[in-house]
Amino acid sequence: MSEKRFEIDSKLTLTTETDDCTPLEGRESQSWFVFAVWRQILELDSSAATLKAVFKSINYEKSKRNFDHSIKIAVNDGLIENKNGLLSICGETRSLTHDWYCFRCFKPAKIILKCNGCERVYHDSCRCFCDERKKCFYCQTRIQEPIRKKLLTKDEINDAIDLVFSKLKSSYSSLMQKSTLKHESEVLTRHVTKLLCKPHFNFSLIEAKVTNTEYQSFFEFATDCKTISYNLNVLYGPESEIGKQCEEMYNFVLKEIELLSYCVECYIRSFHKKRDDHYYWFIMP
């Protein structure tokens, strides 16, 4: 079940009108490059490091000229300071009021479009706004649609999500740990607020929402998983191993929700019925 399929299932009309969002002056530096440079600065020295030393220590596949150009862009964005070849992390840590990087492709842009209903931003080519409420696809309030003509209670919705989450924990435990950023230094994680609007949103918060029966729809759960994927992609890049795991994880969630949309009871029973370590969809009660 692709993200596009999810959009079609939502029955929302997507629009390209210009009054459905707020254009903002964006950033042009790649967030994962900035994050990697920050890490190297802190590993080489607690406050600053030479441009040459950072280039040698960072795993940068392009030329020194490209590296210098990327540093210049990050300096212009106010994320890195370069004083005569001495690099340091720029500015004070503060909470953002909106994202800086496209929620769909994770990349920066000189002009970015902000949703009027949430903190998310998009490229013009990535926009997915609803023309009725002028909010993006992901911040729409969704009531769970009936499944097999049956309206699900919040308990039933969260019980089903709990099973999906159990599978997530089994298959993506390392990704869940990385979402907490505990593998990064405490100093580095303090600066993440310059890159992410919700830097502390991780799988433990999703688990808490399931435990407290807070989810009102499967879509809401999938959107939270997408938010975690967004955070990790912004920090590490979609081409990184973590970025690829995030894409796989999110597609897994969409697939499980598609299975739930056929029959929740069948899904629950199949979860508890297995043979030779394989779960069976159609089983006898």
Side-chain angles (χ1 to χ4, degrees):
M1 183 177 182
S2 67
E3 188 173 326
K4 189 65 179 176
R5 165 72 183 278
F6 222 162
E7 292 177 7
I8 294 173
D9 285 352
S10 71
K11 299 180 181 178
L12 291 176
T13 303
L14 304 186
T15 180
T16 56
E17 296 296 326
T18 57
D19 63 348
D20 58 4
C21 52
T22 304
L24 299 174
E25 184 176 351
R27 292 173 174 171
E28 296 184 74
S29 55
Q30 290 185 329
S31 55
W32 47 91
F33 171 80
V34 172
F35 191 62
V37 170
W38 286 355
R39 185 189 298 109
Q40 292 305 315
I41 291 173
L42 294 173
E43 288 181 359
L44 292 167
D45 190 285
S46 60
S47 58
T50 65
L51 182 69
K52 185 177 181 180
V54 172
F55 176 72
K56 284 185 176 181
S57 61
I58 197 171
N59 185 20
Y60 193 73
E61 298 178 352
K62 298 181 181 180
S63 67
K64 176 65 163 55
R65 183 177 179 180
N66 283 329
F67 177 81
D68 291 344
H69 180 66
S70 296
I71 289 291
K72 183 178 179 180
I73 295 174
V75 169
N76 292 337
D77 283 342
L79 296 171
I80 294 174
E81 286 187 357
N82 183 2
K83 294 182 178 180
N84 299 320
L86 193 64
L87 302 182
S88 60
I89 301 175
C90 184
E92 299 178 357
T93 57
R94 62 181 185 276
S95 299
L96 300 178
T97 56
H98 61 80
D99 287 330
W100 283 97
Y101 309 97
C102 179
F103 195 71
R104 298 290 293 279
C105 71
F106 322 116
K107 296 178 181 179
K110 191 172 184 179
I111 298 296
I112 205 78
L113 304 178
K114 182 189 175 298
C115 171
N116 287 337
C118 68
E119 75 284 350
R120 298 177 181 90
V121 296
Y122 301 88
H123 294 108
D124 185 55
S125 58
C126 294
R127 65 166 65 201
C128 52
F129 295 97
C130 172
D131 61 357
E132 294 178 358
R133 299 184 181 181
K134 300 180 181 178
K135 295 181 179 180
C136 76
F137 171 75
Y138 294 99
C139 75
Q140 298 295 314
T141 300
R142 305 293 170 82
I143 298 175
Q144 181 62 47
E145 294 184 358
I147 296 178
R148 298 175 69 89
K149 299 182 180 180
K150 177 187 176 182
L151 284 172
L152 301 178
T153 65
K154 281 187 68 176
D155 284 338
E156 289 173 327
I157 291 170
N158 284 270
D159 285 345
I161 291 174
D162 188 38
L163 296 183
V164 178
F165 193 77
S166 295
K167 290 186 178 182
L168 274 178
K169 286 195 290 186
S170 176
S171 301
Y172 300 97
S173 58
S174 63
L175 189 65
M176 287 187 169
Q177 292 175 358
K178 287 182 172 62
S179 74
T180 65
L181 300 182
K182 290 182 179 179
H183 61 290
E184 300 287 5
S185 71
E186 184 179 345
V187 177
L188 181 59
T189 55
R190 285 204 300 266
H191 290 287
V192 170
T193 55
K194 301 173 187 175
L195 300 175
L196 297 172
C197 193
K198 294 181 177 179
H200 305 299
F201 195 88
N202 55 58
F203 283 104
S204 63
L205 298 179
I206 290 181
E207 188 170 26
K209 290 177 72 172
V210 174
T211 301
N212 297 327
T213 321
E214 294 181 23
Y215 283 110
Q216 301 184 58
S217 67
F218 299 141
F219 172 83
E220 184 183 349
F221 166 68
T223 299
D224 281 351
C225 291
K226 173 72 173 179
T227 300
I228 293 174
S229 173
Y230 169 82
N231 283 358
L232 292 175
N233 272 284
V234 165
L235 296 181
Y236 299 100
E239 298 302 320
S240 67
E241 189 61 34
I242 292 178
K244 293 175 182 177
Q245 288 178 7
C246 285
E247 181 180 10
E248 182 182 311
M249 176 275 296
Y250 184 59
N251 287 332
F252 171 83
V253 169
L254 295 184
K255 180 63 177 178
E256 294 302 301
I257 290 176
E258 184 177 31
L259 295 177
L260 280 169
S261 69
Y262 296 142
C263 176
V264 173
E265 186 177 358
C266 293
Y267 184 91
I268 293 174
R269 289 184 177 183
S270 69
F271 186 86
H272 297 293
K273 184 86 170 183
K274 67 178 182 178
R275 185 184 305 158
D276 299 328
D277 293 326
H278 292 286
Y279 292 98
Y280 287 83
W281 182 255
F282 296 103
I283 61 171
M284 294 297 293

